[in-house]
Amino acid sequence: GAGVSQSPSNKVTEKGKDVELRCDPISGHTALYWYRQSLGQGLEFLIYFQGNSAPDKSGLPSDRFSAERTGGSVSTLTIQRTQQEDSAVYLCASSSDRDIYGYTFGSGTRLTVV
Amino acid sequence: GDSVTQMEGPVTLSEEAFLTINCTYTATGYPSLFWYVQYPGEGLQLLLKATKADDKGSNKGFEATYRKETTSFHLEKGSVQVSDSAVYFCALSDRWPGNTGKLIFGQGTTLQVKP
């Protein structure tokens, strides 16, 4: 696609429920990143996929968070048993081999846990 | 670990004023440095970058010079416009030997430009 697409754009969920956030990167981009932007905070790295390599999960805040990337394209970030502190904007970005630091970000999913 | 520190905002300026947003970093290896911008209601986008010491990145009238001796990458613009109102993020990534592509972002600095 022309850009990085994320869905849903907004999600309100009850505490304790599981949620899935989707990211559709730019076609041909081998690298895909998930970040979290909490109110008043910077961007917090969560997880990174590069081609067929094992993902870098070093930023995942707890074992309630997981992510997968199927077929080297679409990625899903899953948060189990959501907590109020999970409320944030979840951003996905992708980049190509030619310019791995030239991220293209999606518009994000605003998650609110009530 | 690697980190980026930006000046706290919000920064409020009048149109045509000179802008400086300070950014300093701590890193192992030899990072590349970036400024990203997030306009209201839009996604983050790359503003400019520099990949080695003394490089100057520039775009849309903004400039930043990679200063290895002071570990800084301050963002400047000579004359800001209302349309520059946004949140600005400084970021770094290890360029060698890591090359992971992972970026570490600062906290962001909100710029408000008044007419």
Side-chain angles (χ1 to χ4, degrees):
Chain A
V4 176
S5 177
Q6 291 188 245
S7 61
S9 55
N10 281 285
K11 176 72 176 178
V12 180
T13 190
E14 292 181 351
K15 178 181 173 181
K17 300 282 190 182
D18 298 351
V19 294
E20 285 189 351
L21 312 180
R22 176 188 168 104
C23 172
D24 199 345
I26 291 175
S27 178
H29 277 193
T30 57
L32 186 149
Y33 314 83
W34 284 97
Y35 285 81
R36 178 167 73 174
Q37 186 176 20
S38 303
L39 187 63
Q41 304 293 316
L43 275 72
E44 175 189 2
F45 167 77
L46 297 177
I47 188 169
Y48 157 58
F49 297 89
Q50 171 61 17
N52 295 321
S53 302
D56 177 350
K57 304 179 182 181
S58 60
L60 295 178
S62 77
D63 59 8
R64 296 186 296 105
F65 288 72
S66 63
E68 62 178 19
R69 188 179 185 191
T70 54
S73 181
V74 172
S75 177
T76 302
L77 177 68
T78 301
I79 309 173
Q80 296 178 311
R81 305 181 302 282
T82 53
Q83 303 295 314
Q84 288 188 331
E85 61 263 28
D86 299 334
S87 297
V89 176
Y90 289 81
L91 294 169
C92 176
S94 69
S95 65
S96 69
D97 285 344
R98 291 187 196 178
D99 186 12
I100 64 172
Y101 301 123
Y103 289 9
T104 300
F105 277 91
S107 296
T109 294
R110 182 175 298 278
L111 175 66
T112 304
V113 182
V114 297
Chain B
D2 295 356
S3 66
V4 176
T5 302
Q6 295 181 230
M7 64 188 291
E8 290 194 19
V11 174
T12 302
L13 296 173
S14 298
E15 208 164 23
E16 299 183 1
F18 184 86
L19 168 71
T20 300
I21 299 178
N22 290 338
C23 171
T24 57
Y25 67 91
T26 303
T28 56
Y30 195 158
S32 293
L33 302 173
F34 306 82
W35 278 100
Y36 276 76
V37 59
Q38 186 174 30
Y39 296 104
E42 298 184 18
L44 277 88
Q45 54 189 277
L46 178 65
L47 179 61
L48 54 84
K49 67 180 180 182
T51 57
K52 61 182 187 294
D54 299 324
D55 265 3
K56 178 185 286 187
S58 61
N59 187 23
K60 299 181 180 180
F62 290 89
E63 294 182 339
T65 301
Y66 189 138
R67 300 288 188 200
K68 194 168 188 291
E69 65 275 14
T70 55
T71 61
S72 65
F73 193 54
H74 304 321
L75 183 68
E76 297 182 335
K77 187 174 185 181
S79 176
V80 293
Q81 305 299 312
V82 172
S83 58
D84 294 326
S85 298
V87 183
Y88 293 82
F89 292 90
C90 185
L92 70 81
S93 186
D94 277 346
R95 181 166 174 262
W96 181 91
N99 276 358
T100 65
K102 185 172 77 178
L103 287 175
I104 296 170
F105 288 86
Q107 297 295 93
T109 302
T110 299
L111 171 65
Q112 298 174 339
V113 181
K114 298 187 175 181

